[in-house]
Amino acid sequence: MAHSTSGEGVLERVVRILEAFTPTDRSLTVGEVSRRAGLPSTTGSRMVADMVEHGLLARDEHRRVRVGTRLWELASRASPTVSLRELAMPVLEELHRTVGHHAQLGVLDGEQVLFVERLSADQAVVNYTRIAARLPLHASSSGLVLLAHAPADLQERVLAGPLARFTPATPTDPGELRRRLADVRRDGFVVCPGYLHPEATGIAVPVRDEHRRVAAAVSVIVPNDDRARDHVPGLAAAARRIEQRLAAH
């Protein structure tokens, strides 16, 4: 693989260019892409042009750049999350209709939870999650479920911090988090009142594959009130239906 004079591979720079885009910044100028990717403007401009030519990026009518549909097409061919999302969708839709706020599906990706689906509604409680967005494992209900069943070395890295605090309720003490993870494994669910926003409670349960390994977390985001915990049985039932669909696939 070709390397720059700094010894950095082309693929590393391509990844940084793609990571410049976020769920809230879906189109950028070439200069913004270069700055976010840490590239000289001439290098960034040349690489963006090459990626546009291959369909990995695309330009809009204002010459701003966005992720190209070909990248989505290539990723969709092999991504294990595609079949998971497709199989879970009918169950998520039913769960969403019942809850009336947010229903979402997240998977472990590195040291974060990646949300592959999110269903919402008008007038629903505040929620920071977007499709293809990420949240820290320690501060989100889906993240805590996934972290509780993650390999021990990953748990230790996360617990070693830093652990960002989003509200006064966000757990940032490693000892407290260890106890929370043990509770998740024992109880099979987690309730996170006000961890990311004072007005919202996240509730999540694991979804296991045919080998009984935790493949995902299904969660709802509801108002932070004394009725939030009432959603646990319905959420657990939804997870079991997703598991049945996975096993039958």
Side-chain angles (χ1 to χ4, degrees):
M1 180 181 294
H3 283 73
S4 67
T5 55
S6 67
E8 181 184 52
V10 172
L11 183 57
E12 295 172 75
R13 287 178 280 167
V14 168
V15 170
R16 291 218 309 276
I17 287 173
L18 294 174
E19 288 179 339
F21 300 91
T22 70
T24 54
D25 296 321
R26 299 186 180 187
S27 68
L28 301 167
T29 66
V30 174
E32 288 170 336
V33 171
S34 299
R35 286 193 296 275
R36 292 186 179 196
L39 296 172
S41 58
T42 52
T43 302
S45 179
R46 183 178 67 252
M47 292 193 67
V48 165
D50 289 344
M51 292 172 72
V52 168
E53 182 178 351
H54 288 85
L56 302 179
L57 297 177
R59 298 185 192 271
D60 63 20
E61 65 273 19
H62 303 295
R63 302 294 294 170
R64 293 173 68 86
V65 183
R66 58 175 173 78
V67 174
T69 54
R70 188 173 183 221
L71 184 63
W72 171 84
E73 176 190 2
L74 293 171
S76 296
R77 291 178 186 175
S79 173
T81 63
V82 174
S83 59
L84 171 64
R85 175 187 173 276
E86 290 175 347
L87 290 169
M89 272 302 290
V91 180
L92 281 178
E93 289 171 346
E94 181 180 346
L95 179 65
H96 173 244
R97 286 192 295 270
T98 301
V99 172
H101 286 272
H102 310 278
Q104 49 200 30
L105 187 70
V107 297
L108 182 66
D109 190 47
E111 296 182 12
Q112 297 175 308
V113 52
L114 170 66
F115 290 94
V116 297
E117 187 53 79
R118 170 182 180 256
L119 302 177
S120 189
D122 293 339
Q123 308 303 317
V125 69
V126 62
N127 183 9
Y128 290 139
T129 307
R130 297 173 184 266
I131 297 173
R134 301 168 183 269
L135 285 177
L137 295 174
H138 75 284
S140 58
S141 58
S142 293
L144 285 173
V145 163
L146 296 168
L147 183 60
H149 298 280
D153 59 336
L154 174 57
Q155 292 185 20
E156 293 305 317
R157 288 199 305 272
V158 172
L159 291 170
L163 300 170
R165 185 182 296 278
F166 296 87
T167 74
T170 307
T172 57
D173 176 72
E176 177 188 355
L177 276 168
R178 287 184 193 278
R179 292 188 291 273
R180 292 289 283 159
L181 297 179
D183 290 344
V184 173
R185 290 188 291 269
R186 181 195 66 212
D187 299 336
F189 67 90
V190 67
V191 178
C192 302
Y195 280 21
L196 285 169
H197 192 283
E199 297 179 8
T201 292
I203 309 167
V205 299
V207 175
R208 298 179 183 272
D209 63 18
E210 65 272 21
H211 304 293
R212 301 307 297 162
R213 296 175 300 206
V214 173
V218 61
S219 61
V220 295
I221 309 299
V222 297
N224 186 8
D225 57 30
D226 57 6
R227 295 173 294 175
R229 188 175 286 265
D230 295 345
H231 294 288
V232 171
L235 190 58
R240 301 298 83 78
R241 290 198 297 275
I242 295 173
E243 291 174 351
Q244 291 168 0
R245 293 176 65 83
L246 288 173
H249 182 62

